[in-house]
């Protein structure tokens, strides 16, 4: 049997004609990926960030990081100032009071049912008002929170040195601070983080890149000014002869802030500066005219040898992070070169995962910069980043505890990891869900009296025994539970890794489904005088973040996000049992799922005078509501119930919904634009204007308010969130571009579904569901070539983006296919190429 016959037998064309072989099977083609599509490393280098003056504000500084440690490189007219943070370093104190007073869900629910439904707000009821305040007491504490890890300062004499600005090369994570000497010579302070160890390197060079003599007149290590006064005093240590200065800070577990010498649960960190010179203390005349000696952790350098320095950040259990300062010797050129070499290899491997080349320079820049920021902010084996990742100073990076908000904020940054082919970057999220399982199971059992796991609205990276935010408004949202496990299913879907499904995804997915099934099958959510139907309702619940809990439970049932994500979880679990062959074992649970799905509530709709039927967030809602989160199209994304695969009638409803919806901003920069791309309606110019509106000087995009009419008014500060910290969630912006170039979430590859045909674009190794790596090029208004690597041998469906016949080519031969959609059986590791027949 000829190889081509085997190949053609495995190729199924969906009703569009015959396959015709083009080459002999005797000479199989050895296909390699086309190397002309995208050179992502050179493109990343092209999109560096340049700042032409001192970057004195936190949000002007260059961002460095290795996925664990984060560094902000600020500059002043008289100094370079490095701000340190770390995903593992938190104020770990935790308030867990009022457990008995909280009662159970049923007890609170029964009392709320009896409150007068005519009241404007539930808080107008005295009992509920008191309960609401009591249940929010724990979250009102300033802890837990990310704990800023100190700063390092390099000072210089402004009469001798001027600071010109800095440049960040995102291809290798190198910040260059530009200096000018009094005699007109340009000097450069090169700064980078070791990508494998929590260490930063600095070296001063001349214009030719050669080491240059020291020009700094003092160095200083600073503890963070937000350190609570009740904490143990930091241990300050110096070894001037060895060029070392350091402090060690204990992070107590006890709420009192006192160190615990018995249980051993305290944590600690140490920040250490090492320079290649002997340090000395000097005195100076202060503004009172008095002599003032340098205090601890400040010193002068003694000579003008070539400047080289390192800063290390250690963290862990306080008992294991000793008080003795390690003598590692002065930093050496060989150490810098070795760390530089291996860090550059990490960056090379990262950029080679995927790439895009776009004729739109703004969107291309946005794509590469946010991929860079993400690599700085998260990596496997490290605590999952919170709202503001690993960059903090003082109160910056601590708003809302810098915690995990499980109604989109925590999930959103990881949306990028799937289509951008960075599944390894989803690992911190996977680990977070695993860490939340004990408290989620406990809360489901103790508070709700139900099986499975209820994932909380807010969570912390510390051991918890109760829901940190049990307030019956956002704390009664149900969407967090299916939303929490969605990223685990996507990880399997995009990787095809059955071992991951069995080891990491299955139990959390099952636990979430068990809770959701039990919640929907409660007597209060099915039948009775309230419903007068046979459907299983999601009641009570709260849409994110809108209305809260209402008198009479108006707007507190069958909201769209609960319905679509619960349905997603049900279908995912059903598929998972098939993959892992646990269908028989889970027969009873699967039967309940099928019963609920057969009697599922409809998605809520309203009628707009201008647009006709539109989707809304909850039943009884009018069409003019201003949303906080883009709820109206939640069924498109992340629900993935509807999209370009839907009927024309459904698509028209989605388009009208998109035209009609209003969003107040602050939570929609990625969210709403990704939804629009999924239905082919994203206006790229409007998208770019919104991104530009949100950009900070450091190149990141913050959360900005867009309009009044919801929770904001004409006195609101539309930029109030921009000073809170570096918003980790918006590093998902590349996902929006990816969806414009390729959609492969639903089973069929669609090419350039939301990209202008008159703008050239190409991409390499974007990942699609089914474990496919996909590359394509759009040139001169036509798609020239498509390449697909099948990692797991899954069935492949391709929507052909050109007219006429298609040449399909693999190592097994060539064939010609006629039609607009091809469906192929692929082999593991097989690379296929599609292009129009000339």
């Amino acid at each position: 049997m000829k190889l081509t016959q085997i190949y053609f037998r495995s190729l199924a064309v969906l009703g569009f004609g015959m396959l015709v072989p083009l080459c002999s099977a005797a000479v199989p083609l050895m296909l390699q990926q086309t190397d002309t599509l995208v050179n992502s490393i050179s493109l990343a280098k092209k999109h560096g960030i340049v700042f032409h003056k001192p970057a004195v504000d936190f949000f002007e500084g260059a961002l460095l990081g290795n996925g664990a440690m984060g560094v902000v490189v600020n500059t002043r007219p008289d100094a370079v100032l490095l701000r340190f943070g770390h995903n593992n370093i938190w104020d770990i104190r935790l308030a867990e009071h009022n457990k008995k007073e909280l009662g159970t869900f049923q007890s609170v629910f029964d009392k709320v049912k009896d409150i007068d439904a005519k009241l404007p707000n539930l808080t107008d009821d005295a009992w509920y008002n008191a309960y609401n305040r009591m249940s929010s007491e724990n979250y009102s504490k300033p802890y837990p929170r990310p704990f800023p890890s100190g700063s390092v300062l390099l000072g210089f004499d402004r009469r001798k040195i001027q600071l010109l600005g800095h440049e960040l090369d995102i291809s290798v994570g190198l910040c260059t601070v530009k200096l000018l000497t009094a005699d007109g010579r340009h000097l450069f302070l090169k700064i980078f983080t070791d990508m494998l160890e929590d260490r930063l390197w600095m070296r001063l060079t001349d214009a030719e890149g050669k080491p240059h003599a020291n020009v700094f007149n003092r160095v200083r290590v600073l503890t963070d000014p937000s350190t609570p006064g009740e904490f143990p005093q930091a241990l300050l240590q110096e070894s001037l002869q060895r060029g070392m200065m350091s402090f060690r800070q204990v992070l107590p577990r006890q709420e009192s802030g006192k160190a615990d010498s018995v249980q051993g649960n305290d944590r600690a960190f140490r920040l250490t500066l090492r320079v290649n010179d002997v340090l000395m203390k000097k005195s100076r005349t202060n503004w009172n005219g008095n002599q003032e000696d340098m205090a601890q952790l400040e010193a002068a350098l003694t000579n003008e040898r070539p400047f080289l320095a390192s800063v290390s950040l250690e963290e862990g259990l306080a008992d294991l992070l000793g008080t003795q300062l390690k003598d590692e010797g002065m930093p050496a050129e060989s150490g810098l070169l070795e760390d530089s070499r291996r860090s550059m290899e990490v960056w090379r491997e990262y950029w080679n995962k995927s790439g895009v080349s776009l004729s739109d320079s703004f969107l291309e820049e946005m794509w590469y910069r946010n991929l860079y920021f993400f690599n700085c902010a998260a990596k496997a084996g490290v605590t999952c980043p919170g709202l503001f990742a690993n960059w903090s100073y003082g109160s910056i990076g601590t708003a809302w505890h810098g915690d995990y908000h499980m109604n989109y904020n925590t999930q959103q940054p990881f949306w990028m990891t799937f289509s951008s082919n960075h599944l390894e970057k989803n690992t911190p999220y996977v680990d977070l869900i695993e860490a939340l399982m004990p408290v989620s199971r406990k809360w489901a059992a103790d508070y709700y009296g139900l099986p499975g796991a209820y994932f909380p609205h807010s969570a912390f990276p510390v051991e918890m025994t109760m829901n940190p935010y049990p307030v019956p408004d956002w704390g009664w949202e149900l969407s967090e539970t299916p939303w929490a496990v969605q990223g685990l299913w996507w990880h399997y879907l995009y990787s095809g890794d059955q071992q991951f499904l069995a080891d990491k995804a299955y139990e959390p997915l099952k636990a979430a489904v068990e809770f959701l099934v039990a919640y929907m099958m409660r007597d209060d959510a099915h039948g009775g005088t309230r419903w007068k139907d046979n459907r299983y309702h999601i009641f009570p619940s709260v849409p994110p973040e809108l209305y809260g809990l209402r008198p009479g439970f108006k707007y507190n049932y069958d909201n769209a996000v609960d319905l679509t994500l619960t349905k997603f979880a049900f279908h995912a679990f059903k598929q998972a049992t098939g993959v892992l062959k646990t269908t028989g074992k889970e027969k009873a649970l699967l039967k309940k799922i099928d019963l609920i799905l057969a009697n599922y509530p409809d998605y809520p709709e309203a009628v707009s005078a201008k647009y006709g039927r539109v989707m809304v967030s909850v039943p009884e809602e009018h069409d003019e509501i201003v949303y906080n989160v883009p709820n109206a199209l939640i069924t498109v994304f992340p629900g993935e119930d509807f999209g370009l695969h839907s009927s024309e009638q459904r698509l028209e409803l989605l388009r009208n919904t998109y035209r009609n919806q209003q969003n107040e901003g602050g939570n929609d920069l990625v969210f709403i634009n990704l939804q629009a791309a999924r239905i082919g309606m994203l206006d790229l110019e409007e998208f770019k204007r919104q991104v530009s509106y949100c950009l900070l000087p450091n190149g990141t995009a913050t959360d900005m308010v867009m309009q009044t009419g919801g929770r904001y008014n004409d006195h609101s500060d539309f930029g109030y969130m921009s000073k809170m910290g570096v918003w980790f969630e918006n590093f998902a912006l590349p996902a929006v571009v990816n969806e414009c170039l390729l959609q492969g979430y639903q089973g069929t590859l669609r090419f350039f579904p939301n990209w202008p045909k008159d703008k050239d674009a190409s991409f390499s190794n974007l990942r699609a569901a089914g474990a496919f790596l996909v590359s394509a090029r759009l040139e001169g208004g036509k798609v020239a070539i498509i390449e697909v690597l099948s990692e797991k041998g899954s069935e492949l469906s391709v929507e052909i983006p050109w007219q006429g016949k298609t040449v399909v080519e693999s190592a097994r031969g060539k064939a010609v296919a006629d039609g607009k959609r091809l469906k192929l059986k692929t082999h593991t590791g097989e690379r296929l190429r599609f292009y129009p027949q000339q």
Side-chain angles (χ1 to χ4, degrees):
M1 183 177 290
K2 293 183 178 180
L3 179 62
T4 48
Q5 290 175 316
I6 297 173
Y7 172 69
F8 294 138
R9 283 183 179 179
S10 69
L11 180 66
V13 181
L14 301 180
F16 295 108
M18 298 291 293
L19 281 167
V20 182
L22 287 180
C23 68
S24 168
V27 187
L29 297 169
M30 299 301 293
L31 289 186
Q32 301 293 326
Q33 182 179 16
T34 302
D35 57 9
T36 57
L37 285 180
V38 175
N39 185 334
S40 56
I41 297 176
S42 63
L43 286 172
K45 189 174 185 64
K46 170 184 170 185
H47 295 299
I49 301 171
V50 181
F51 204 75
H52 294 293
K53 61 180 181 178
V56 297
D57 185 80
F58 183 90
F59 298 96
E60 295 174 332
L63 299 184
L64 300 175
N66 62 9
M69 180 180 75
V71 185
V72 180
V73 182
N74 285 121
T75 55
R76 306 189 320 213
D78 68 339
V80 177
L81 189 56
L82 310 174
R83 309 289 195 190
F84 288 82
H86 199 289
N87 283 325
N88 288 349
I89 298 177
W90 279 64
D91 180 343
I92 59 174
R93 293 176 295 169
L94 179 67
E96 291 193 323
H97 308 298
N98 302 321
K99 290 182 179 181
K100 183 178 179 180
E101 291 78 5
L102 285 171
T104 65
F105 165 77
Q106 192 64 46
S107 66
V108 178
F109 176 69
D110 288 341
K111 288 187 176 182
V112 173
K113 278 194 299 185
D114 293 336
I115 295 176
D116 186 355
K118 296 179 182 180
L119 287 176
N121 298 291
L122 279 178
T123 49
D124 293 327
D125 176 84
W127 170 83
Y128 183 82
N129 188 294
Y131 184 90
N132 186 280
R133 285 186 282 108
M134 177 273 297
S135 60
S136 63
E137 283 179 10
N138 290 332
Y139 196 79
S140 67
K141 304 291 185 181
Y143 45 80
R145 66 176 178 102
F147 198 90
S149 307
S151 304
V152 170
L153 180 144
L154 309 179
F156 50 82
D157 188 336
R158 290 180 55 235
R159 296 168 296 181
K160 299 178 181 179
I161 299 292
Q162 291 184 52
L163 195 141
L164 303 180
H166 70 259
E167 182 172 349
L168 176 61
D169 181 352
I170 66 171
S171 70
V172 291
L174 176 66
C175 177
T176 300
V177 176
K178 301 177 181 180
L179 306 170
L180 181 67
T181 66
D183 57 2
R185 290 177 294 114
H186 288 269
L187 301 180
F188 305 93
L189 182 65
K190 306 282 187 176
I191 309 172
F192 72 93
T193 54
D194 184 337
M195 296 304 291
L196 300 180
E197 303 289 340
D198 292 334
R199 181 168 46 242
L200 174 141
W201 284 95
M202 296 178 281
R203 178 172 62 171
L204 189 65
T205 70
D206 61 18
E208 296 179 355
K210 297 178 181 179
H212 191 276
N214 171 56
V215 297
F216 300 105
N217 62 4
R218 67 185 181 107
V219 292
R220 187 178 182 188
V221 176
L222 301 99
T223 60
D224 194 80
S226 71
T227 303
E230 63 269 25
F231 270 21
Q233 189 172 359
L235 174 63
L236 311 183
Q237 296 172 296
E238 296 177 336
S239 179
L240 301 182
Q241 290 300 310
R242 293 183 290 168
M244 297 171 60
M245 295 192 298
S246 176
F247 75 87
R248 177 184 180 271
Q249 177 65 60
V250 173
L251 302 170
R253 172 69 169 170
Q254 296 182 123
E255 263 198 274
S256 65
K258 304 301 181 184
D260 181 0
S261 59
V262 179
Q263 297 297 324
N265 292 324
D266 293 347
R267 297 187 66 84
F269 69 91
R270 177 188 286 115
L271 186 72
T272 304
L273 168 68
R274 292 179 172 88
V275 299
N276 64 337
D277 191 7
V278 174
L279 299 174
M280 63 179 296
K281 298 289 186 178
K282 288 187 176 181
S283 62
R284 56 192 164 224
T285 304
N286 64 24
W287 73 284
N288 287 318
N290 299 320
Q291 286 297 108
E292 181 180 80
D293 292 331
M294 286 182 168
Q296 271 193 289
L297 302 190
E298 183 181 20
L301 292 91
T302 59
N303 59 44
E304 296 184 355
R305 70 172 62 178
F307 178 80
L308 182 68
S310 69
V311 183
S312 62
L313 181 56
E314 304 166 85
E315 49 80 24
L317 289 173
D319 287 350
L320 301 180
L321 189 64
T323 58
Q324 295 299 313
L325 193 57
K326 298 177 183 178
D327 184 5
E328 297 182 359
M330 291 183 176
E333 183 83 4
S334 59
L336 179 146
L337 293 176
E338 173 58 23
D339 285 1
S340 175
R341 181 198 61 77
R342 65 182 190 175
S343 295
M344 290 180 69
E345 178 60 25
V346 171
W347 281 109
R348 185 197 65 79
E349 182 179 346
Y350 181 75
W351 290 120
N352 283 338
K353 289 274 189 177
S354 62
V356 302
S357 177
L358 310 175
S359 58
D360 190 309
S361 60
F362 182 90
L363 292 177
E364 184 181 270
E365 175 184 274
M366 183 193 77
W367 196 91
Y368 282 97
R369 287 184 176 181
N370 282 281
L371 261 293
Y372 166 79
F373 295 136
F374 199 103
N375 200 33
C376 293
K379 71 177 177 182
V382 176
T383 300
C384 183
L387 290 171
F388 307 107
N390 50 356
W391 296 287
S392 59
Y393 169 70
S395 63
I396 298 173
T398 66
W400 293 295
H401 299 265
D403 66 10
Y404 306 121
H405 274 39
M406 301 301 291
N407 61 345
Y408 104 81
N409 305 86
T410 304
Q411 292 88 348
Q412 179 171 290
F414 297 96
W415 295 346
M416 180 278 297
T417 65
F418 306 107
S419 57
S420 294
N421 190 28
H422 284 287
L423 290 177
E424 78 284 358
K425 290 294 180 181
N426 190 48
T427 303
Y429 181 81
V430 175
D431 292 342
L432 169 64
I433 299 305
E434 183 175 353
L436 292 179
M437 281 293 288
V439 71
S440 300
R441 285 189 182 276
K442 181 175 174 57
W443 193 251
D446 295 351
Y447 184 70
Y448 284 98
L450 297 176
Y454 171 90
F455 288 87
H457 171 72
S458 293
F460 309 121
V462 299
E463 185 178 345
M464 299 169 288
T465 64
M466 62 179 288
N467 186 339
Y469 190 86
V471 187
D473 46 29
W474 320 132
W476 273 19
E477 289 181 6
L478 262 289
S479 59
E480 282 83 344
T481 292
W483 219 331
V485 298
Q486 183 180 49
L488 308 187
W489 176 250
W490 275 337
H491 193 113
Y492 162 71
L493 200 63
Y494 280 75
S495 69
D497 186 343
Q498 292 188 20
Q499 197 63 51
F500 171 87
L501 177 61
D503 294 345
K504 295 291 186 179
Y506 188 76
E507 284 304 321
L509 179 58
K510 177 184 175 181
V513 167
E514 285 177 321
F515 176 84
L516 293 165
V517 165
Y519 194 77
M520 294 182 74
M521 298 188 87
R522 292 163 35 251
D523 289 343
D524 287 307
H526 175 67
T529 57
R530 173 178 287 275
W531 304 113
K532 299 182 177 63
D533 61 30
N534 290 322
R535 301 191 181 195
Y536 294 89
H537 299 273
I538 299 181
F539 167 77
S541 187
V542 179
E545 289 183 6
L546 196 65
Y547 304 122
L549 201 62
R550 301 293 301 154
F553 299 111
K554 185 177 183 179
Y555 306 133
N556 294 135
Y557 66 97
D558 293 345
N559 69 71
V561 64
D562 289 342
L563 291 176
T564 192
L565 290 176
T566 297
K567 184 187 290 187
F568 183 102
F570 284 171
H571 286 303
F573 181 69
K574 291 178 67 175
Q575 293 178 61
T577 60
V579 173
L580 298 180
K581 297 180 171 47
T582 60
T583 304
K585 179 182 176 182
E586 307 293 358
K587 183 178 179 180
L589 182 57
L590 291 170
K591 184 177 180 180
K592 292 177 181 178
I593 291 173
D594 288 339
L595 178 61
I596 292 173
L597 290 174
N599 298 276
Y600 210 68
D602 294 328
Y603 289 124
E605 296 181 4
V607 177
S608 163
K610 184 174 182 179
Y611 298 107
R613 286 176 54 230
V614 295
M615 303 186 77
V616 293
S617 71
V618 291
E620 304 181 62
E621 185 176 270
H622 63 79
D623 62 299
E624 291 293 319
I625 192 70
V626 177
Y627 294 114
N628 173 254
V629 172
N631 286 319
L633 282 175
I634 209 89
T635 56
V636 171
F637 187 87
E640 297 191 334
D641 218 356
F642 307 125
L644 292 176
H645 60 281
S646 300
S647 67
E648 184 56 38
Q649 182 180 11
R650 173 61 66 175
L651 278 171
E652 185 59 26
L653 174 62
L654 299 175
R655 295 180 190 121
N656 287 339
T657 300
Y658 179 70
R659 297 182 184 105
N660 177 71
Q661 69 175 330
Q662 300 181 76
N663 291 274
E664 65 189 9
N667 298 295
D668 65 353
L669 180 60
V670 174
F671 210 149
I672 194 172
N673 293 300
L674 200 157
Q675 290 174 336
R678 280 283 178 94
I679 58 175
M681 287 199 68
L682 179 60
D683 182 328
L684 290 178
E685 295 305 313
E686 182 178 352
F687 173 50
K688 287 157 58 178
R689 286 191 291 271
Q690 186 179 1
V691 173
S692 182
Y693 170 55
C694 295
L695 284 180
L696 296 177
N698 60 16
T700 67
T702 190
D703 285 349
M704 295 288 287
V705 176
M706 297 292 287
Q707 71 170 81
T708 60
R711 66 175 70 186
Y712 302 115
N713 58 52
D714 290 331
H715 293 291
S716 298
D717 177 2
F718 274 36
Y720 79 100
M721 285 180 277
S722 66
K723 291 296 185 181
M724 290 180 174
V726 176
W727 283 91
F728 179 50
E729 64 188 51
N730 290 330
F731 297 169
L733 278 166
V736 179
V737 173
N738 295 346
E739 295 296 329
C740 293
L741 302 175
L742 172 73
Q743 291 184 20
Y745 67 95
Q746 180 266 337
T748 298
L749 301 183
R750 292 178 170 84
F751 292 88
F752 304 100
N754 199 121
W755 190 262
K757 297 302 181 282
D758 60 345
K759 288 190 174 184
D760 292 352
S762 60
F763 58 86
S764 293
N765 291 335
L766 294 187
R767 184 173 285 273
F772 296 109
L773 294 181
V774 186
S775 306
R777 183 170 70 247
L778 173 67
E779 192 171 27
K782 297 180 180 179
V783 179
I785 192 169
I786 295 167
E787 293 181 351
V788 179
L789 173 63
S790 176
E791 290 186 331
K792 297 294 183 178
S794 304
E795 189 173 78
L796 174 65
S797 177
V798 181
E799 190 172 277
I800 299 301
W802 50 69
Q803 300 298 318
K805 297 181 179 181
T806 299
V807 179
V808 185
E809 178 182 326
S810 86
R812 293 182 283 161
K814 282 186 181 181
V816 174
D818 188 12
K820 292 299 293 179
R821 183 172 296 178
L822 305 182
K823 195 171 186 179
L824 303 88
K825 173 66 177 176
T826 68
H827 291 182
T828 300
E830 182 177 28
R831 192 180 296 279
L832 300 108
R833 188 172 295 158
F834 304 80
Y835 51 91
Q837 186 182 44
Q838 301 302 317

